[in-house]
Amino acid sequence: MDKLDLKGKWNELKGRVKQEYADFTDDDLKYEEGKDDELLGKLQQKLGKTREEVVTWLKGLG
């Protein structure tokens, strides 16, 4: 998987994620530095997608 630069763009991406999937909570989308894998895991669970699909989807939002 290519690295996804969440740190700088996460607030912008979070808004787009919430527009597309209103059932995500702020806790689901909470970004903590160094915990990218944990965040991606939460997104994977909620969306029922693979890690690669989630990364591709997030890149498409950005």
Side-chain angles (χ1 to χ4, degrees):
M1 173 192 114
D2 356 88
K3 268 302 207 184
L4 183 61
D5 180 25
L6 293 177
K7 186 177 179 181
K9 299 185 213 173
W10 183 241
N11 285 332
E12 180 183 330
L13 286 176
K14 181 169 69 170
R16 291 183 182 162
V17 169
K18 285 177 109 174
Q19 284 176 351
E20 201 163 321
Y21 293 94
D23 59 332
F24 277 108
T25 66
D26 285 334
D27 278 346
D28 292 333
L29 301 174
K30 183 178 179 184
Y31 174 78
E32 293 180 47
E33 193 168 341
K35 294 192 175 184
D36 296 15
D37 290 337
E38 188 176 309
L39 176 60
L40 289 173
K42 286 180 187 178
L43 293 174
Q44 276 181 261
Q45 268 188 323
K46 280 262 194 182
L47 296 172
K49 297 184 179 206
T50 67
R51 180 182 180 87
E52 290 76 23
E53 288 173 323
V54 171
V55 169
T56 301
W57 173 65
L58 288 173
K59 284 183 176 182
L61 294 176

